[in-house]
Amino acid sequence: RKRNRDGGLKIPISSFHSRFIDKDLAKRVFDEVSQGRESSVEAKLITKDGPRWSSIEVCKARDPVTGNPNILFSTRDITDLIRAKKVADEANARKSEFIAVMAHE
């Protein structure tokens, strides 16, 4: 793969959709950004480490050298945060169930 001047990987537009597990969400984000709006979503992406939850920021930009349109795609892995929230929600549900049982006794 080619690298940008700052060392980041260049991702062809065609691979934008392929990074998303939810292809419908990828299309919605791409369409929104193509219309000039920025997009912020949380979604599962395909990564070298397997599927991972990511916080994603996407916007349309122009290459400063060529003037060609580009899509800037920034992600932050939030898989551990999603897992921790799930564990906390499950613990909260168990606590609520326990309190309901105790209230009836």
Side-chain angles (χ1 to χ4, degrees):
R1 287 194 161 178
K2 294 182 180 177
R3 293 195 175 268
N4 293 331
R5 289 182 184 171
D6 65 359
L9 290 175
K10 285 179 142 181
I11 298 173
I13 290 175
S14 62
S15 73
F16 176 84
H17 292 81
S18 69
R19 302 223 24 222
F20 284 78
I21 289 177
D22 182 343
K23 303 304 182 200
D24 292 332
L25 177 60
K27 183 179 178 345
R28 287 193 306 271
V29 169
F30 186 83
D31 291 346
E32 188 173 312
V33 172
S34 294
Q35 295 173 10
R37 295 189 302 268
E38 293 184 7
S39 182
S40 297
V41 296
E42 291 180 356
K44 241 181 186 178
L45 298 180
I46 299 167
T47 72
K48 66 180 174 92
D49 298 322
R52 304 287 292 179
W53 279 99
S54 296
S55 174
I56 307 161
E57 303 287 329
V58 187
C59 68
K60 190 174 179 180
R62 290 217 169 264
D63 184 298
V65 176
T66 65
N68 293 332
N70 286 305
I71 291 180
L72 299 179
F73 184 88
S74 174
T75 66
R76 184 174 60 103
D77 189 326
I78 59 169
T79 303
D80 292 339
L81 180 65
I82 296 290
R83 286 181 186 150
K85 183 182 181 314
K86 182 179 178 186
V87 168
D89 288 346
E90 289 169 354
N92 193 39
R94 285 192 304 273
K95 178 192 76 167
S96 295
E97 184 180 320
F98 174 77
I99 289 172
V101 169
M102 293 304 289
H104 285 1
E105 289 187 11

